[in-house]
Amino acid sequence: GNSVTQMEGPVTLSEEAFLTINCTYTATGYPSLFWYVQYPGEGLQLLLKATKADDKGSNKGFEATYRKETTSFHLEKGSVQVSDSAVYFCARRNKSGGSNYKLTFGKGTLLTVNP
Amino acid sequence: NAGVTQTPKFQVLKTGQSMTLQCAQDMNHEYMSWYRQDPGMGLRLIHYSVGAGITDQGEVPNGYNVSRSTTEDFPLRLLSAAPSQTSVYFCASSTGTAIYEQYFGPGTRLTVT
């Protein structure tokens, strides 16, 4: 089936550290890939997206590259801030088939950044 | 624009009670959906709608009903609440052309005792 697997948390970093949150997807069809972020007490917000192989999504200093050869979409940031503390969700959307309107989310990774 | 609004923010029910979680959006989005979020499970799709009068089941539809009589509103009904339905519920909406860019409401935290 169509699924997304992301690294389990929690992840705890010091401010200005480098962040990587791994995400892999099942290679079914030609999915679009996304990262969503959920700040404490809020709903999810789209952080970045990539719709085809080798695309790089970026926003707020975060980046992720759609790697078809490794079926991965890892989230990175060079220097995290305390305000980046949140839960991060990797997600995929199928471009064809009966499930075209559905997003499939990973289980989420809690990131805590300490000053 | 208010975006996606959900009411109530918190609710406690006893087993067997029924209730409706309200969701409304003022962005004229065609697509709306309901998710539940449980620890270690991520978000799971309950029901979704691609337009007024059209609904379909998601991954975990049992115990929930939906209807979409208007573009703006997409209520979620719990017919007979069970402790397994204790969760945080999120409503989301998006345009038909950018379905991935879903706008989420602030959530409803439901406890069933």
Side-chain angles (χ1 to χ4, degrees):
Chain A
N2 301 315
S3 67
V4 171
T5 303
Q6 60 182 104
M7 65 184 285
E8 292 189 19
V11 174
T12 302
L13 296 173
S14 297
E15 207 164 23
E16 299 184 2
F18 184 85
L19 168 71
T20 300
I21 300 178
N22 291 341
C23 172
T24 58
Y25 62 93
T26 51
T28 307
Y30 302 94
S32 296
L33 301 172
F34 317 96
W35 279 99
Y36 276 77
V37 59
Q38 182 181 28
Y39 297 105
E42 298 182 9
L44 279 70
Q45 305 172 27
L46 179 65
L47 180 60
L48 53 84
K49 66 181 185 289
T51 58
K52 61 182 187 297
D54 299 326
D55 269 2
K56 177 186 283 188
S58 61
N59 186 26
K60 298 182 180 181
F62 291 89
E63 292 183 341
T65 301
Y66 190 143
R67 304 276 189 207
K68 187 178 179 182
E69 63 276 11
T70 55
T71 62
S72 65
F73 192 56
H74 304 324
L75 182 69
E76 297 181 336
K77 186 174 186 182
S79 177
V80 293
Q81 305 300 312
V82 172
S83 58
D84 294 326
S85 298
V87 181
Y88 292 82
F89 292 90
C90 187
R92 63 174 284 165
R93 173 204 166 195
N94 300 323
K95 290 184 180 176
S96 62
S99 59
N100 192 36
Y101 291 107
K102 299 176 188 175
L103 282 178
T104 301
F105 288 89
K107 294 184 178 181
T109 302
L110 172 63
L111 169 67
T112 301
V113 180
N114 295 318
Chain B
N1 285 349
V4 179
T5 58
Q6 291 183 238
T7 55
K9 289 189 176 181
F10 301 94
Q11 182 70 51
V12 178
L13 291 177
K14 295 186 187 302
T15 297
Q17 286 184 317
S18 63
M19 79 160 294
T20 299
L21 307 186
Q22 301 292 342
C23 174
Q25 53 90 10
D26 60 359
M27 297 173 283
N28 201 32
H29 285 169
E30 298 95 329
Y31 181 77
M32 296 186 74
S33 54
W34 276 102
Y35 295 88
R36 58 178 290 172
Q37 183 178 30
D38 302 292
M41 300 292 290
L43 272 77
R44 293 182 290 171
L45 182 65
I46 304 172
H47 286 285
Y48 66 100
S49 168
V50 301
I54 306 170
T55 63
D56 205 347
Q57 296 180 349
E59 184 184 352
V60 288
N62 292 341
Y64 307 95
N65 276 359
V66 293
S67 60
R68 184 94 180 270
S69 56
T70 67
T71 299
E72 294 78 19
D73 300 300
F74 190 45
L76 178 72
R77 297 183 190 84
L78 281 70
L79 305 175
S80 178
S84 61
Q85 294 178 304
T86 294
S87 187
V88 181
Y89 292 85
F90 288 99
C91 179
S93 73
S94 63
T95 67
T97 56
I99 289 168
Y100 54 80
E101 189 157 3
Q102 296 199 25
Y103 293 81
F104 281 78
T108 295
R109 183 174 294 275
L110 175 68
T111 302
V112 183
T113 61

